[in-house]
Structures are given as C-alpha cells and as structure tokens.
C-alpha cells in the first residue's frame, strides 16, 4: 500500500487526537488576537448604544448548555452593555434551559465591580420571566398581552407585583428585543411574530450553524443585526471594549479552522494521488 | 496545576470524559453517561413545565376563576370568564396523555388536531409574509451595483433551480446552472460556519476540563 | 367521529387563525388569544406524554430484564433525582445557588455540552475522509468554505492584513455572506416558504390527513 493509500485509510482516532490537541493546546497560551468587527454585529451594538436610559430591553434565552460556549459569552457581554447603560432588562426563555442560562450570566455580570456598584435590584432593574410552553405561540400571545403569556415570573411572583413590569402590556412597550437562539424555537420565530407582526426592533445572537440562515433577515431589515457564533461574541466584546471569553477563545478557534482546512486539503491530495 | 476542590466539578469532568470515551469506541462508561443524560433531561423538562406552566397557568387560572365565581358569582365580567377556559385547555391536554393507552388513544387525535390546526394557521401566514413576500420584496432592487446584481440574479437563478416541473434544458437549464453555483457558495458558507460552531463547542469543553476542573489554564 | 371531528377542529382553528391576521378584532382576536392559551397547556401535556412514554419504556425494560436494563435504571434514577430536588426546591428551583441549580450545573450541563462538543471530532474526521473536490461545483463549495472559515478568525486577518481593505480575508468572507450566500439562502427560504404554505393549506382543508395516523 502506498503512502497516500495508507493516509486515506488512517484510523479516525488519530484524526480525533490531532483535533483534540489542536483545540486544547492554544488554550494554554494567553495569546491576544485582533478581532475585526463586522457591520452585522455593529448593527446590534449601535441600537443598544442609542437607547436612552431606562429603556426596556427584552432578552429571550432560546438555547441550552449544548450551545453555551457560543451564546453564553454573547449573553454576558450583552447584559454588561445593557446594565452599564442603565437599561431595564426583561429576561425570558422559549427553551426550558434558557432562564437558568440567564441566571448564570446574571451571576457573572452582577458581580463585576462596576455593575455591582450600581446596586441593581431584581424586579426593578431586571426580571426573569422564566419559561413557558408553546414555542412561537408564546411570542404571539405576548404581542397581545405579556401578562397572559407569563402570569408570574420564574419564581412565582405575579407580574403586577414587579415594578419593572408596570406599563408593559405588549411589544409596543418594549424598546428592543434581543434573541439568543440555538435552533427552534428561535430567531426565525421571533422575526415572523415579533418583528413582522408586532413591529418589534429585533436583534439576534445565533450559533454559527444558524447564523447563515438569518442573513436574509438582516438584509431585509427584519433583523437590525446578527451575532454569529463565537466570533460574533468576540466582536461584541471588542465593540463594548471589554474583551472576555469570546476574544480569549479566538486563538484556539483559528488553529481549529486551520487544522480542518489542512485535513480537507490533505484528504483531497491523497485522494487524487491514488487516482 | 490546581484541580478544583468542588466534588461537583469532578463529577462533571468525569461525565465529560465518559461522553468523550465514545471516540475510542462504544463502551459501558459512555452508555452510563448517555442513560444519565436522558434521565436528567427528562427530569429537567418535567420540573420546568410543572413550575412554569401547570402551577401558574393551568391551576393558577382555574384558581382565579373559582375565586371569582365564589366572590362575584355570575356577575363577573367577560375577562374573568376567560380564566375558566383553561379548564378546556387542560382537558384537551389530558386527552393527549391518553395516547399512552392503545384502546382509547384515538381520542388524542382531537388534541393533536388542535395543535396541527394552530400551527398550520400560523405558518400559512407567517411563512408567506416573512419568508416569502418580504424576501421577494427586498429582492426587487435596482441593478445599479454589483451587490444588487448578485442578490437579484442569485435569488432568481436559485429559485429556477428548484423548479423541477420543467426540464432543465436550454436557457432555463443555463439559469438553473447559475443557480447551482450560488447554492454551492451558500452551502460552502454554511459548512464553514458549521465547522466554526462545532469547534467552538469543543473549545468550551476543553476549557472546562483543563481550566475549571484541572486548573491548568490561567 | 374518529377522523371527522379532528379534521373539523383543524379546519376551524386553522381558518380562524388565518382570518385573525386580516381582522385582528373581536371575536377573532379573542379566539386567537384563547387558542394561544390552550396551545401552551396542550404543548406542556404533549411534552409530558413524551416523558411518560420514556419512563414506560425504561420501566418495562427493567421489569422484563431486557438487554441493557441496567442503564434503564440509571435513566430512571437520573429522572427521579432531578424531579425530587426540583419539587423540594419549589418554584425557586432555577434560582442561582439552589440545590437544583447545583445539579443542573454539575450534571446536566457537562453531559449536554459534551454531547454536542463531540461532534467537532466527527466533523473534522468527515472533512478529511469525505470532502472531495470531485467536480467544479464541489470545488466552489470548498473554496467558499475556506474563505469563510479563514475570514471569520483572526488568522485570516493576519495572513492578509498587507492587502488593501476590500481584498482581505475578512472582507471577502463578509462579501460572500452578504451577497452570494444571502441570495442562495433567500432562494432556499422562499422555496421552503411556498412548500409550507401549500402544506398548511392542505392540512387546513383536510386534504393532508397523515397526522391522524392509521384507522
């Protein structure tokens, strides 16, 4: 068997090992990389920057721990941005894991010194409405009456008892909707219901698998912007001038991509060499 | 190296390695982790639905309805009667559960029909408007820039490719061929992003193993 | 009764929700809200149906000592652990710092995250073994993937930072995503939309009945 034939028949566990090393090794080196920002990410950032103090931002956590490395850094930097601009944040989830992911992000951001100094209070500056079943029908219900979709918050407190929810009946009372999505239900449903039916201003943070599917919506203006994958998270951190996990992972991400490209080229060279 | 003192992190790390052991081959360690994953996922859904739907929505609304009837009787307003409607929702939901019993499972079709009808009704409008008409509207662009030409030609030719009622011959076939090129670029970009996504997820796990669990990364 | 009533329900509900888009006033808007409220409850019961089905299969496996019944015990124990702690914690179960949150963070999160992360190995292996530039179309697909993959990481910037602004890897990746990719994606989106619209109409009118099952 020739060299290229042996190469084609290589045990896949060797490939797995090489991939594992390519991903893990860069994490040991604290390499800071330049992250270019793109117009689609700037779209989301600039909308948040333009919101006056006290504006109401609805954040929908539509993902589970499987998508955490991509979406959690986005959630954290978005929260940081909103709280530093004194915006009111209303959290919800169309996935049952979403509200817990939100609490995770809140715990990180609310303990940062500059945010902690603001003495933000639950029910006044932010609230977690939790999860409710119904997928996109929940968004539709929120369009007529948010209190009917969420009679109480995640901890059972009636919405009428929460100061932040006073005067909020539907999307007309929400200044910006930001959706973190890993699949269904997610950004597409938010575009179809919240943006198109109820004319909400909508931005999205998507996993890299989903991001290409959302570009037509950004092109039409149904979405003001998209954060796509870990790169999107890194871009938002750079725009907000607070590099964190997203930026830190970029070195590893780059090496991983280079390794995959190398494997594709090597596989093709071996394939064509063996005729 | 500063391993985490938290026993929970160690459990998480060992479960992570258990799933990764599948890369070597299927084995009981992986099967244990997989079975545990299925069980805890089901448990999480159960609890979340219990505390976020059944208690506040179903029982909460029925409770409000009963309380309103006790205090105001038949003098209650229309909006108060809406709370009673949750009983019908609950009944329809319960009918769904009867699917577990083959002899009377046919009645779950009523609930299923309601779900299918609701979904069909919403999808008919939403997909037509958001994914159809609005996309077509924004494709009608002046051909004054390369970008606009690409968008118009690409969308049109891509749609031509998907029209299988006419044979792809002649000029029609030529346009379909152009459509294939655009679709190949689309799928290539999707593949690139998919690689990015999967690698990101693995980076997160490696950070957990070497950073949070074993404390080898600062 | 077994088929006619469900078809009638589908038709009435579907048509009402179409009409409400054009007439968003009572009584249609009230019906829309009513149906939306019921949908949420039924969706929750549907998920419970799945959970009960899962438990039924696993309990049956343990009872009959079928192959792999030991793992079914693990599934059932995992389920009972989360349910018991969740019920004990009450409506605050999801709050940061509770026992339930600890279990979610230490057991559920690592398992789920790793289940998805393992795909990275398979996509790398598949890229090596199966991704072949056999013809021109496949080569175009590959090249688009290369440009996007390199353009979306800092390495692409460092490799091409010496080039003018519009010719750098990042700019090329942006251009590919904004124009040809969007065009192709839009074509797919419109095609799918037309398919869904026609299927929805068929379901509402009772032409499509496969969701009712046999008999």
């Amino acid at each position: 068997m020739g060299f290229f034939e042996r190469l084609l028949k290589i045990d896949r566990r060797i490939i797995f090992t090489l991939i594992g090393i390519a991903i893990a090794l860069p994490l040991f080196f604290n390499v800071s990389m330049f992250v270019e920002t793109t117009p689609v990410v700037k779209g989301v950032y600039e909308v948040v920057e333009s919101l006056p103090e006290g504006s109401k931002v609805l954040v929908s956590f539509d993902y589970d721990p499987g998508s955490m490395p991509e979406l959690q850094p986005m959630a954290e930097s978005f929260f940081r941005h909103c709280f530093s601009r004194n915006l009111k944040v209303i959290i919800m989830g169309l996935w049952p894991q979403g509200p817990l992911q939100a609490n995770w992000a809140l715990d990180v951001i609310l303990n940062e010194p500059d945010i902690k100094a603001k003495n933000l209070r639950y029910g006044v500056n932010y609230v977690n409405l939790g999860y409710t079943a119904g997928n996109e029908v929940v968004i539709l219900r929120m369009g007529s009456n948010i209190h009917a979709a969420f009679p109480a918050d995640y901890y059972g407190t009636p919405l009428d008892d929460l100061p932040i929810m006073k005067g909020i009946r539907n999307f007309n009372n929400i200044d910006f909707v930001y959706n973190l999505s890993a699949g269904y239900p997610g950004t597409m449903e938010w575009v179809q219901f919240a943006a198109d039916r109820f004319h909400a201003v909508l931005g999205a943070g998507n996993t890299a698998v989903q991001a290409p599917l959302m570009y037509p919506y950004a092109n039409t203006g149904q979405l003001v912007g998209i954060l796509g994958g870990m790169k999107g998270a890194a871009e938002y951190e750079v725009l907000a001038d607070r590099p964190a996990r997203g930026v830190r992972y970029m070195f590893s991400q780059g090496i991983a991509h280079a390794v995959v490209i190398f494997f594709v080229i090597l596989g093709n060279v071996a394939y064509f060499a063996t005729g | 190296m500063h391993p985490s003192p938290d026993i929970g992190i160690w459990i998480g790390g060992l479960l992570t390695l258990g799933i990764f052991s599948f890369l070597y081959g299927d084995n009981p360690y992986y099967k244990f982790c997989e079975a545990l994953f299925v069980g805890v996922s089901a448990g999480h859904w159960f609890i979340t639905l219990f505390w976020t739907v059944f208690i506040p929505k179903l029982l909460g609304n029925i409770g409000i309805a009963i309380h309103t009837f006790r205090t105001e009787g038949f003098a209650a307003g229309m909006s108060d009667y809406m709370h009673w409607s949750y009983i019908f929702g609950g009944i329809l939901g319960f009918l769904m559960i009867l699917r577990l019993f083959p002899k009377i499972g046919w009645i779950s079709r009523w609930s299923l029909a309601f779900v299918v009808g609701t979904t069909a009704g919403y999808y008919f409008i939403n997909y037509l408007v958001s994914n159809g008409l609005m996309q077509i509207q924004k494709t009608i662009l002046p051909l004054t820039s390369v970008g606009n030409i690409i968008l118009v030609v690409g969308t049109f030719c891509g749609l031509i490719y998907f029209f299988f009622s006419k044979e792809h011959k002649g000029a029609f076939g030529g346009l379909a061929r152009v459509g294939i090129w655009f679709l190949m670029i689309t799928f290539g970009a999707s593949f690139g992003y998919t690689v990015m996504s999967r690698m990101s997820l693995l980076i997160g796990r490696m950070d957990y193993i070497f950073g949070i669990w074993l404390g080898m990364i600062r | 009764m077994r088929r006619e009533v469900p078809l009638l329900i589908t038709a009435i509900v579907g048509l009402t929700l179409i009409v409400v888009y054009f007439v968003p006033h009572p009584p249609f808007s009230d019906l829309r809200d009513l149906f939306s409220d019921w949908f949420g409850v039924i969706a929750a019961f549907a998920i419970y149906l799945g959970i009960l089905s899962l438990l039924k299969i696993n309990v049956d496996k343990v009872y009959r000592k079928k192959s792999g019944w030991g793992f079914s015990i693990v599934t059932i124990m995992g389920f009972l652990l989360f349910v018991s702690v969740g019920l004990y914690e009450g409506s605050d179960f999801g709050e940061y710092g509770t026992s339930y949150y600890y279990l979610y963070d230490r057991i559920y999160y690592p398992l789920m995250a790793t289940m998805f992360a393992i795909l990275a190995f398979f996509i790398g292996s598949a890229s090596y073994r199966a991704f072949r530039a056999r013809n021109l179309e496949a080569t175009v697909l590959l090249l688009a993937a290369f440009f996007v993959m390199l353009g979306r990481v800092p390495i692409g910037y460092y490799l091409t930072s010496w080039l003018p602004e519009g010719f750098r890897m990042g700019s090329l990746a942006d251009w590919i995503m904004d124009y040809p990719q969007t065009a192709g994606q839009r074509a797919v989106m419109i095609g799918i939309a037309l398919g869904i619209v026609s299927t929805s109409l068929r379901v509402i009118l009772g032409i499509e009945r496969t969701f009712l099952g046999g008999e």
Side-chain angles (χ1 to χ4, degrees), chain B residues 88-98 111, chain C residues 38 41-43 45-46:
Chain B
F88 294 105
I91 290 169
L92 277 174
F94 179 71
L95 292 181
M96 187 74 91
I97 300 281
L98 295 180
S111 308
Chain C
W38 290 358
V41 174
I42 296 168
F45 273 98

Side-chain angles (χ1 to χ4, degrees), chain B residues 24 34 57 62 74 78 112 131 153 157 164 172 177:
Chain B
Y24 191 79
E34 185 190 46
K57 271 193 164 171
I62 294 172
F74 290 104
M78 189 64 198
L112 193 61
N131 285 24
V153 169
C157 292
F164 296 119
F172 191 82
R177 194 125 185 90

Side-chain angles (χ1 to χ4, degrees), chain B residues 129-152:
Chain B
V129 171
S130 301
N131 285 24
L133 296 175
M134 289 193 77
Q135 297 300 321
I136 291 168
Q137 184 185 23
K138 291 294 180 180
T139 308
I140 301 169
L141 297 164
L143 301 177
T144 50
S145 69
V146 173
N148 284 3
I149 293 169
I150 297 273
L151 279 170
V152 172

Side-chain angles (χ1 to χ4, degrees), chain C residues 32 41 79 98 215:
Chain C
R32 176 199 60 204
V41 174
F79 174 79
T98 59
E215 199 227 308

